[in-house]
Amino acid sequence: MAVCAAIIGKDNSPKFFVTINPDEELQFQYRVLSSLDIVEDKLNSGVKGGADTKELYLGMLLSLEAHKIYGYVTNTKIKFIIVVDSTNMVLRDNEIRSMFRKIHSEYADIVSNPFYIPGEPISSKNFTTNIKNIMTGTV
Amino acid sequence: MHPGIIQSDSDIPHELCVKPLALVGVTGLDIINNAVHKSIWETFSSNRRIERAPVLFKLVGNVQEFPIMKPKRTSYDWYIPKGILKKNWINKHLYEIPAVIVVFYDLDWNDSSWSEKMIECASRVQSMRAALEGRGTRITIVLIQNSPPQPPGEDALSSERAIALCSSCEINSQSLFVLPHGDHLQGYAVRLENAFYEYAQTYYHNEAKHVKSHKEHLNKNSHQYLFVRHQFKMGFLNELKQDAHTAHKHYTHAYNSLLEIRIVDTNALEIRTLAGFVNYKLCRLLFALNLPRDAISQFKSHVDRFKARMGFHELTFEHYAWLSKQYSVFGDIFDEAVKLGLPAVQTQHPGIYYQQAAQYSIQRKKFSQELCSNIIAYPQPDPLQGANHMEFYGQRPWRPGKLSAEPPDPHLESNGIQALQFLEKQINHSNLIIALYGLAISQYKTYRCPRTRRHLVLQMADEYYDSRDYGKALTLYTHMLLDFRNEKWWDILSTVLEKAILCAYLTANVQDYVGLAVEILGANINTPLNEKRRIYENLMRLLKKQIPFGDPKIPQDILQNAIILWQPVFSEKSFNIALDMTNITASVSVKARFMKKTYEVDQNVIVEIFVRSTCPFPLTFSKISVTVNAQNQNSEYTVTDSADVSFNFHKDEVKRYVVEFIADCNDINKDIQINSVNVFLGNSPECCLDLKYPASVESNGNNIELYHFKHNADKLDFDNVQALSQATVVPRESKLRVDFLHQIPALLGEWYEIKVVVTNEELYEIVDLKIEAWIEEEIANVELSLQPSDKHKKLNLVLNNPSHLKPTDQISTDFFVRSNLICKCNIQVKLTYTLSGEKQILSIKSEKLALAVVEPFEVSTKYLSTLMAEIEKFYIGEEFGVMNYIKFTSPWLIIVEDTSFDYIHPVSPAEENRSSQISGKTFNNEEIGAELHLATCNKPNDDFVNVGHYTIRWKRENGHSTTTTLAVTGLPCDWVAVGLKMFAPAHGYVRTSMVIEYHVENRSHELVRLELSMDASEAFMFSGSKQFSVSLLPQSTRILQYNLNPLIAGSVALPKFSMTISENTENGPPVVSQDQLNLLTGRTLPTHVYVMPQMKGEAKLPDSIPSPENVAVIG
């Protein structure tokens, strides 16, 4: 299971942030922020392949002592970040990938919600629950 | 107290860090007294660049003591090593025991006292050899000679003496070198040192082999240390030999052997220290061998292996110091490799290791504070006595060389630990940590990680805070705020702000404190409400010039210091703080806008100001003002404080204020801008806080339109207020009426008159009226003028007009335009005037006049023969008609005043009195006027001849006359040798004879013979030669006369007259061809003549042609 998930807007401001352990949120915010350096770099340097083979999954961004950070960028430059414990061996690349895809579809749903203003931080409780379920693998 | 500085066991000793170079001892050089020797020494020792051999030269005296060789051990059976690696060993091989000794000696082959000197040299060699007894050091001799070198084999004396010298010194002939002192010293030196380097490599190779030979004596049980030691030595010797691969192999063995040793409390430090050393060597070699991945993985496994080996709990800080050192040293090696060209990437660069080193240093600090805080005294006797002179690396000074099997003395042990703890307590950890962060930050900057770098800066600031350097911490915190603000990481921003305001409080920095407070009170900052209340109260206290209360969490002593710092802050009388709120999302936000994009000069400019407070507590402002920038001056307008205007704000309240002013007349057609809005807090005159907001807040990047969907209960919709920070002052709308009277279209080339009629429909008299006219896009051929003449033409015109105009009065003035080009142009007319009402107001009115220019007429020209047939060529001497057609295309009536035709040589008129045939005529649109003139051409020309200029003077009805001149192009002109003219009456009468004459002219300088004939015709009876052969003399004319008696009336074909060239031409080709003759008759002779019926009554004969006197009449 992932320990933290974040949705970052195209202006690199956090739109949504959730951690399994709320006490560690600030530390995770710093980590996710650091990983954005790598995302930015990948986005700036990356003209890989044609426009058709657009890969949204960025792979592992950072491998720290205690955590591994994965990234995913939508075509509209919305970034999804997932933080996983380094000791977690269950989650492989494929699981992370599918987790991102689920988050992406949740995000697409929330953006379609007429009561949500795109670009504002997401505060929907339902959304938070759904993302937490994705993180813990209960979906 | 313990005096000295103990070298920390976690440091990598200097001798390990330097690049190992083969040591070459140099003797026999007296560099103090002998200039030659000095220059030789300098050539060798200085300027050692990378391309020179990896050799270190050491100057050795003639009587030098070298480290004594230990007696050779025959058996290791009873030998138990006391430690792993002796401290002096590396140094000994690096700097003390040379691999090669070079004996320099001044000796020429032909030296007079050869044998004495040879003996002296030999004795020097002998003494060196004695000093190096037992070592494998190679001894070589270099003879310094003055004479240039001879080719080998040619100089019998030298080769003989060389052999003698070798044998007396007992050296190999290859160890004897000659150094001619003179030119090319550098070149010789390079060659010599390469030879030395080769010998040194052999030496180190043998040494390594020697060490290896010990291996068979060792056994695994008692000699584990020796396995490590020997492998390390072999590795090092191979490094001296510059064999990195072999060195790496041996170091790997050493490292693996080290891991096999069982770690107990007594040897833990030693093994860890040695592992650090060997790992250092390994990583460095791997980077040098360009295997950075291997280096990184070696380092990682090394750290993983030792991370958990804490050792004594009391000395945990030592472990973290070691770990931190491992990381920082690896960072150094990595950085060094990068500087030598290794490409590093964003996810793998030295900064990561420095950062980790800093983290471990923090751990070290934590444990050091935990474990050492109780240690007050340094134990006596000093358990660390002699710590810098230990025999082995990584052993405790209080039990040197003790075997791991012996149980440690507990008292001594605890004393030693206490001593180490005491020393640890003296260390300023923060400095270490900050330095490491500094290194990491610069690396992260290089590898484009601005956000990670920011995080590190914050950690660095935390460390400054921890070390009570609040000023520096505050600076770092405040510098980081902007980026977090821009990227809206409010949670992080909140924590940083809280830390920063604490620092600002502790340093009594009012400016920062106030700024941070205003920001913290904003809605975005999620500081707990009670904390916000405390800050709000402090802010209010500050505005009353009272010292704010400190955070209750601050320890008492620090709080005391802070209060002392605050005391002098309020001693000064006035206390005004201005804050630039440009990039701050504070608790008070402001928007200002103009109500319109343009303001007329006599209207009030209205600025709307919206102020919103998101502070959870009520705020009261003392003043709100707006600064407006105009071209010439900036003015500040204050919101007037009247009864219905309130400056009190509750949470999330938005208020709207309006400022009105009248724009300056000087700013007409210029922009005015809202520069800033200032909101003032604080009532007392000596204490006031000025929050300065920029006019245009950057939109927050999202689609602003979407905010209209946001629920907004009742109040002013602050989010949806669109800023409009710029407006233009425009002149007031003029009420003048301007009419243009003219007759379009303008005609090409004419001075076209435009009449301007201005009617004052304003309420007041106008003065200083100025009317200007100019052409909108400058066209070269369009001119303006006040007079219909060329003299006054201008591009920009000021019209003549009366400058005063009473209400309802009308004036008119006119100007002229001329265009020499068919085009469409726009004429701008601008009226500038002052309205002299209650107030003088400058007004401007602009009018645009579109004008099309068309041609008044088109001229075409045709050329006719005398028979009125169109011709294709002119012929010299033959008259032709020039027929000009003028087709009028103007919608207006045009009067042709005069026309004239100026011929250009060689064309000349063939009429005596020429006058215009259409002058004074009036033409409507689509009408054509034509006139015909006769001309001749007297010069042949293959091209089209320029006939002349056709000038037409014309005018509109009641207009000004215009002269148009056109160039007329004619036809090519030919010369023919024979000319022919016919003279005949215009008509004849039936049965009445008429005379016709043919004049045949020879224009050439040769005789022309022609056969002339007159065909019979049914319509005529005629007399005259029917067939006639004629010889024409040069330049003469022959006249043939015929009497024709018409028989029928009507247009009757004349008898056909023809000319042929006589066949019996004698000399040369004829000057004229038959074709030319046919054409000639065709164009000059009429084919028909009108014959009238006989008149009733008396018939009047037509005039017969008067025969010129000089023409012979052929009867």
Side-chain angles (χ1 to χ4, degrees):
Chain A
M1 87 176 202
V3 291
C4 168
I7 296 175
I8 312 293
K10 62 179 170 210
D11 54 350
N12 283 338
S13 68
K15 302 297 175 215
F16 178 78
F17 207 95
V18 64
T19 48
I20 297 297
N21 179 359
D23 297 340
E24 288 178 328
E25 178 159 334
L26 191 67
Q27 282 316 309
F28 277 119
Q29 289 209 358
Y30 279 125
R31 272 181 209 139
V32 170
L33 193 56
S34 296
S35 72
L36 287 183
D37 285 332
I38 321 260
V39 175
E40 284 285 292
D41 203 60
K42 279 189 192 236
L43 291 182
N44 291 339
S45 64
V47 193
K48 48 200 171 187
D52 307 331
T53 61
K54 191 106 187 186
E55 173 64 295
L56 304 176
Y57 179 54
L58 296 177
M60 186 159 73
L61 304 173
L62 278 179
S63 172
L64 303 172
E65 292 268 290
H67 299 102
K68 284 187 230 167
I69 303 180
Y70 296 85
Y72 182 94
V73 175
T74 71
N75 287 325
T76 49
K77 300 273 181 294
I78 308 291
K79 293 125 194 155
F80 301 144
I81 307 283
I82 288 180
V83 186
V84 176
D85 250 327
S86 285
T87 50
N88 192 330
M89 291 299 160
V90 186
L91 287 174
R92 289 168 192 284
D93 220 41
N94 264 336
E95 282 80 30
I96 301 281
R97 231 179 243 267
S98 81
M99 221 186 258
F100 274 128
R101 269 198 290 270
K102 285 175 194 159
I103 295 179
H104 195 168
S105 94
E106 284 294 329
Y107 179 75
D109 285 350
I110 194 84
V111 172
S112 317
N113 184 340
F115 295 102
Y116 170 70
I117 296 173
E120 288 282 276
I122 301 167
S123 53
S124 156
K125 278 180 197 161
N126 197 17
F127 183 76
T128 313
T129 321
N130 290 347
I131 298 289
K132 274 193 174 166
N133 286 343
I134 292 169
M135 285 163 70
T136 49
T138 48
V139 182
Chain B
M1 275 289 145
H2 187 76
I5 301 135
I6 293 183
Q7 191 189 8
S8 165
D9 284 310
S10 54
D11 287 344
I12 305 292
H14 172 258
E15 59 266 29
L16 212 58
C17 300
V18 295
K19 182 178 160 59
L21 297 170
L23 187 68
V24 173
V26 173
T27 181
L29 288 182
D30 182 3
I31 60 166
I32 298 163
N33 302 320
N34 190 324
V36 175
H37 287 185
K38 187 162 188 261
S39 74
I40 291 171
W41 169 245
E42 278 169 359
T43 314
F44 276 107
S45 62
S46 61
N47 202 10
R48 301 220 51 100
R49 281 191 303 268
I50 195 114
E51 70 270 15
R52 304 244 328 235
V55 172
L56 178 70
F57 288 98
K58 186 189 181 195
L59 203 56
V60 174
N62 282 340
V63 276
Q64 172 77 18
E65 300 269 330
F66 293 101
I68 304 154
M69 192 83 172
K70 274 183 289 180
K72 206 168 180 122
R73 196 182 298 278
T74 48
S75 157
Y76 280 86
D77 285 352
W78 299 103
Y79 176 69
I80 294 172
K82 290 178 176 173
I84 298 175
L85 189 61
K86 284 185 182 164
K87 268 190 166 177
N88 62 356
W89 188 85
I90 297 174
N91 217 30
K92 195 164 80 182
H93 284 271
L94 268 181
Y95 301 119
E96 287 175 26
I97 304 170
V100 177
I101 278 281
V102 186
V103 180
F104 281 90
Y105 195 75
D106 290 284
L107 186 57
D108 276 283
W109 294 126
N110 51 6
D111 198 284
S112 51
S113 47
W114 162 261
S115 30
E116 293 86 44
K117 287 200 172 172
M118 184 177 81
I119 289 162
E120 196 200 333
C121 177
S123 80
R124 283 201 191 171
V125 171
Q126 282 308 328
S127 71
M128 255 319 132
R129 187 168 288 141
L132 288 164
E133 184 63 46
R135 303 252 177 223
T137 305
R138 179 87 174 232
I139 297 178
T140 58
I141 300 173
V142 175
L143 297 182
I144 305 168
Q145 298 193 333
N146 287 320
S147 53
Q150 301 283 328
E154 280 188 18
D155 191 357
L157 177 72
S158 62
S159 51
E160 182 191 306
R161 286 190 163 177
I163 294 164
L165 187 65
C166 285
S167 67
S168 70
C169 296
E170 297 172 43
I171 58 163
N172 191 320
S173 65
Q174 274 147 8
S175 303
L176 177 65
F177 300 95
V178 169
L179 175 63
H181 179 69
D183 300 335
H184 315 300
L185 191 58
Q186 182 82 29
Y188 286 115
V190 169
R191 272 160 66 187
L192 276 177
E193 77 184 21
N194 282 333
F196 300 154
Y197 171 55
E198 220 167 275
Y199 290 143
Q201 279 184 312
T202 322
Y203 167 79
Y204 289 122
H205 180 74
N206 289 334
E207 285 290 299
K209 227 157 76 181
H210 177 67
V211 176
K212 198 176 181 182
S213 69
H214 298 321
K215 196 181 173 184
E216 54 199 73
H217 304 297
L218 309 181
N219 73 61
K220 283 249 169 185
N221 296 326
S222 50
H223 296 142
Q224 274 179 316
Y225 283 6
L226 290 185
F227 279 107
V228 180
R229 184 191 295 175
H230 291 164
Q231 290 294 348
F232 182 88
K233 283 184 177 178
M234 283 190 272
F236 195 80
L237 289 168
N238 272 301
E239 256 195 292
L240 283 165
K241 194 192 157 191
Q242 311 300 327
D243 183 350
H245 281 284
T246 319
H248 172 247
K249 190 183 82 190
H250 288 297
Y251 283 133
T252 313
H253 286 319
Y255 191 80
N256 290 336
S257 308
L258 194 64
L259 294 180
E260 283 171 19
I261 301 171
R262 201 165 68 88
I263 300 177
V264 292
D265 277 354
T266 41
N267 69 359
L269 177 66
E270 185 169 8
I271 287 174
R272 194 170 65 193
T273 309
L274 260 292
F277 291 178
V278 178
N279 176 63
Y280 172 79
K281 278 288 183 196
L282 275 174
C283 292
R284 230 182 129 163
L285 280 172
L286 284 168
F287 273 120
L289 292 170
N290 201 16
L291 297 165
R293 283 170 196 284
D294 293 357
I296 290 165
S297 65
Q298 159 66 29
F299 177 75
K300 280 200 169 140
S301 65
H302 166 68
V303 170
D304 284 345
R305 220 166 263 136
F306 285 92
K307 198 156 56 179
R309 300 242 165 100
M310 296 281 187
F312 287 115
H313 173 67
E314 294 86 342
L315 297 176
T316 315
F317 54 84
E318 216 176 27
H319 175 68
Y320 284 110
W322 180 82
L323 268 177
S324 165
K325 200 73 201 176
Q326 295 297 306
Y327 272 98
S328 77
V329 163
F330 188 75
D332 288 341
I333 317 177
F334 199 163
D335 192 33
E336 186 185 276
V338 169
K339 278 179 188 142
L340 290 174
L342 180 77
V345 294
Q346 203 184 28
T347 47
Q348 195 54 258
H349 60 81
I352 293 167
Y353 298 94
Y354 289 130
Q355 184 190 5
Q356 199 58 43
Q359 302 286 349
Y360 280 122
S361 278
I362 292 174
Q363 292 271 359
R364 173 188 181 184
K365 179 173 140 187
K366 205 177 98 196
F367 279 102
S368 143
Q369 281 167 349
E370 194 177 296
L371 298 168
C372 312
S373 51
N374 300 325
I375 308 298
I376 318 145
Y378 192 77
Q380 288 295 343
D382 185 0
L384 302 186
Q385 189 98 54
N388 286 342
H389 309 288
M390 302 279 296
E391 193 183 359
F392 291 97
Y393 285 116
Q395 292 192 341
R396 297 290 185 198
W398 60 87
R399 46 175 162 76
K402 288 277 166 65
L403 287 188
S404 46
E406 289 176 41
D409 174 353
H411 177 67
L412 205 58
E413 203 67 17
S414 72
N415 260 356
I417 287 169
Q418 196 185 346
L420 288 178
Q421 286 177 332
F422 182 84
L423 290 177
E424 181 73 10
K425 201 180 168 188
Q426 316 301 316
I427 290 172
N428 185 346
H429 294 92
S430 293
N431 283 355
L432 290 174
I433 295 164
I434 288 163
L436 286 169
Y437 274 132
L439 287 170
I441 285 166
S442 66
Q443 293 286 347
Y444 274 106
K445 197 175 177 187
T446 316
Y447 294 99
R448 303 181 309 281
C449 295
R451 297 177 185 81
T452 318
R453 177 177 160 266
R454 240 177 278 148
H455 185 202
L456 289 176
V457 173
L458 289 183
Q459 286 172 302
M460 196 184 203
D462 288 347
E463 199 52 50
Y464 272 120
Y465 181 83
D466 231 27
S467 65
R468 300 194 174 184
D469 192 341
Y470 305 117
K472 274 189 184 143
L474 178 62
T475 315
L476 291 180
Y477 284 134
T478 46
H479 277 88
M480 291 304 113
L481 289 175
L482 176 65
D483 293 303
F484 288 118
R485 240 181 253 138
N486 282 348
E487 294 195 342
K488 298 183 191 139
W489 287 77
W490 303 123
D491 291 348
I492 292 178
L493 185 63
S494 307
T495 51
V496 176
L497 280 173
E498 283 167 33
K499 286 177 186 168
I501 200 165
L502 203 55
C503 291
Y505 176 76
L506 293 173
T507 49
N509 187 331
V510 188
Q511 179 94 17
D512 281 348
Y513 190 88
V514 170
L516 293 164
V518 171
E519 189 169 3
I520 284 180
L521 291 174
N524 286 324
I525 306 304
N526 52 18
T527 305
L529 194 64
N530 55 355
E531 191 68 11
K532 281 197 179 182
R533 171 170 287 122
R534 200 177 57 76
I535 287 164
Y536 170 75
E537 280 162 6
N538 276 341
L539 183 63
M540 292 301 128
R541 279 179 70 84
L542 262 175
L543 293 173
K544 290 177 203 148
K545 294 183 80 172
Q546 289 166 344
I547 297 174
F549 295 121
D551 190 329
K553 294 192 284 286
I554 303 175
Q556 198 57 40
D557 56 328
I558 301 174
L559 203 58
Q560 291 282 291
N561 286 339
I563 290 169
I564 292 166
L565 285 174
W566 275 99
Q567 304 284 4
V569 171
F570 299 109
S571 60
E572 281 170 43
K573 268 198 171 172
S574 63
F575 177 73
N576 291 318
I577 300 169
L579 286 177
D580 183 7
M581 308 298 280
T582 308
N583 287 311
I584 300 175
T585 48
S587 51
V588 180
S589 34
V590 164
K591 282 186 182 178
R593 63 175 179 185
F594 287 113
M595 300 291 279
K596 285 200 287 183
K597 274 193 175 163
T598 52
Y599 285 100
E600 284 168 21
V601 107
D602 56 346
Q603 285 179 335
N604 269 357
V605 178
I606 304 171
V607 180
E608 245 184 339
I609 304 170
F610 294 89
V611 180
R612 177 172 70 179
S613 161
T614 54
C615 174
F617 312 103
L619 284 177
T620 303
F621 302 115
S622 50
K623 189 173 119 188
I624 294 172
S625 72
V626 60
T627 310
V628 176
N629 274 11
Q631 193 78 11
N632 305 316
Q633 59 179 46
N634 299 350
S635 342
E636 189 177 333
Y637 303 99
T638 307
V639 176
T640 43
D641 200 355
S642 62
D644 54 336
V645 178
S646 157
F647 290 153
N648 295 325
F649 283 83
H650 294 286
K651 181 168 164 43
D652 288 337
E653 199 171 355
V654 183
K655 283 187 179 160
R656 174 176 174 271
Y657 302 99
V658 171
V659 170
E660 289 185 34
F661 59 93
I662 290 179
D664 191 345
C665 294
N666 297 326
D667 292 331
I668 286 177
N669 284 336
K670 285 169 189 156
D671 286 344
I672 51 174
Q673 274 178 330
I674 302 177
N675 183 34
S676 63
V677 179
N678 293 50
V679 175
F680 295 87
L681 265 171
N683 273 318
S684 58
E686 64 258 36
C687 182
C688 152
L689 174 60
D690 172 7
L691 307 178
K692 184 174 175 187
Y693 290 87
S696 53
V697 191
E698 273 175 53
S699 68
N700 41 8
N702 295 323
N703 301 328
I704 301 160
E705 306 82 52
L706 291 171
Y707 282 91
H708 288 288
F709 294 108
K710 206 171 181 177
H711 174 67
N712 204 309
D714 50 342
K715 2 177 192 187
L716 295 160
D717 195 357
F718 188 83
D719 281 327
N720 284 322
V721 173
Q722 304 271 333
L724 178 64
S725 65
Q726 193 163 334
T728 314
V729 179
V730 294
R732 56 182 294 280
E733 200 185 330
S734 169
K735 294 202 180 76
L736 281 190
R737 207 180 78 207
V738 181
D739 297 305
F740 297 104
L741 302 177
H742 58 127
Q743 295 171 315
I744 50 165
L747 301 178
L748 189 70
E750 76 168 335
W751 281 110
Y752 180 71
E753 184 178 5
I754 298 171
K755 191 166 248 170
V756 185
V757 180
V758 182
T759 317
N760 184 2
E761 293 181 353
E762 301 268 12
L763 291 172
Y764 306 102
E765 183 183 359
I766 63 172
V767 291
D768 298 335
L769 175 65
K770 188 173 144 194
I771 307 175
E772 287 168 281
W774 69 94
I775 293 150
E776 197 176 54
E777 296 145 26
E778 235 170 70
I779 303 170
N781 289 315
V782 182
E783 297 148 343
L784 294 173
S785 172
L786 288 175
Q787 300 293 329
S789 80
D790 287 359
K791 282 176 200 161
H792 306 285
K793 63 186 179 190
K794 277 178 194 164
L795 288 176
N796 211 332
L797 212 61
V798 179
L799 307 189
N800 300 324
N801 57 277
S803 63
H804 293 260
L805 201 59
K806 290 207 164 66
T808 69
D809 270 10
Q810 197 176 54
I811 52 157
S812 73
T813 178
D814 56 2
F815 67 98
F816 295 87
V817 189
R818 184 172 73 174
S819 170
N820 293 320
L821 199 73
I822 297 165
C823 61
K824 282 189 174 153
C825 61
N826 288 323
I827 296 168
Q828 288 279 2
V829 177
K830 182 174 142 190
L831 292 86
T832 318
Y833 61 94
T834 309
L835 191 69
S836 60
E838 301 151 8
K839 215 174 117 188
Q840 303 269 325
I841 297 172
L842 187 70
S843 293
I844 292 170
K845 185 170 176 77
S846 280
E847 291 282 328
K848 191 162 95 174
L849 190 62
L851 212 60
V853 182
V854 299
E855 270 186 307
F857 47 75
E858 287 163 12
V859 174
S860 55
T861 307
K862 279 184 182 169
Y863 299 96
L864 306 172
S865 70
T866 43
L867 299 178
M868 292 299 279
E870 219 168 302
I871 53 170
E872 284 161 12
K873 267 186 179 173
F874 300 151
Y875 292 93
I876 287 172
E878 292 178 22
E879 286 175 0
F880 56 88
V882 180
M883 181 80 130
N884 289 315
Y885 298 91
I886 306 173
K887 182 180 179 187
F888 291 86
T889 52
S890 147
W892 306 98
L893 212 60
I894 285 181
I895 300 162
V896 176
E897 293 186 318
D898 194 17
T899 61
S900 63
F901 203 98
D902 301 315
Y903 293 96
I904 300 175
H905 182 80
V907 184
S908 52
E911 300 160 313
E912 279 167 21
N913 299 318
R914 286 179 292 133
S915 63
S916 172
Q917 294 153 4
I918 54 170
S919 68
K921 303 278 190 301
T922 306
F923 296 90
N924 275 317
N925 192 7
E926 296 292 318
E927 285 181 342
I928 297 174
E931 57 181 328
L932 178 67
H933 295 280
L934 279 176
T936 56
C937 182
N938 48 25
K939 201 174 170 193
N941 197 339
D942 284 343
D943 282 332
F944 294 91
V945 180
N946 272 334
V947 177
H949 296 292
Y950 188 44
T951 307
I952 306 152
R953 199 145 59 80
W954 56 277
K955 64 177 185 182
R956 293 184 185 222
E957 232 179 352
N958 311 322
H960 302 271
S961 61
T962 307
T963 308
T964 305
T965 303
L966 298 157
V968 176
T969 309
L971 301 170
C973 185
D974 257 7
W975 176 80
V976 186
V978 178
L980 178 65
K981 274 182 195 158
M982 182 182 123
F983 295 91
H987 54 85
Y989 296 90
V990 175
R991 286 192 294 279
T992 310
S993 103
M994 57 194 270
V995 178
I996 58 171
E997 281 177 11
Y998 294 96
H999 294 215
V1000 183
E1001 186 187 5
N1002 178 7
R1003 292 171 185 154
S1004 72
H1005 296 278
E1006 280 165 54
L1007 188 75
V1008 176
R1009 289 169 185 277
L1010 294 171
E1011 298 286 336
L1012 309 177
S1013 67
M1014 192 75 162
D1015 289 355
S1017 166
E1018 286 177 2
F1020 293 97
M1021 290 191 301
F1022 67 90
S1023 70
S1025 310
K1026 193 162 185 196
Q1027 206 162 21
F1028 183 59
S1029 180
V1030 66
S1031 294
L1032 290 167
L1033 291 173
Q1035 308 283 357
S1036 73
T1037 305
R1038 196 62 169 276
I1039 299 170
L1040 295 163
Q1041 213 171 40
Y1042 292 90
N1043 251 323
L1044 263 64
N1045 203 3
L1047 298 176
I1048 48 178
S1051 176
V1052 184
L1054 285 166
K1056 196 179 167 207
F1057 179 82
S1058 58
M1059 295 192 286
T1060 45
I1061 303 161
S1062 300
E1063 276 161 26
N1064 53 350
T1065 312
E1066 288 145 21
N1067 33 3
V1071 289
V1072 64
S1073 70
Q1074 185 61 46
D1075 282 348
Q1076 284 177 329
L1077 288 179
N1078 292 347
L1079 281 173
L1080 181 68
T1081 48
R1083 71 175 176 263
T1084 46
L1085 299 185
T1087 52
H1088 289 76
V1089 71
Y1090 281 101
V1091 178
M1092 313 286 252
Q1094 211 164 19
M1095 281 186 288
K1096 300 266 165 67
E1098 197 169 327
K1100 191 178 171 245
L1101 282 173
D1103 302 330
S1104 62
I1105 301 153
S1107 48
E1109 285 165 10
N1110 59 341
V1111 173
V1113 176
I1114 296 164

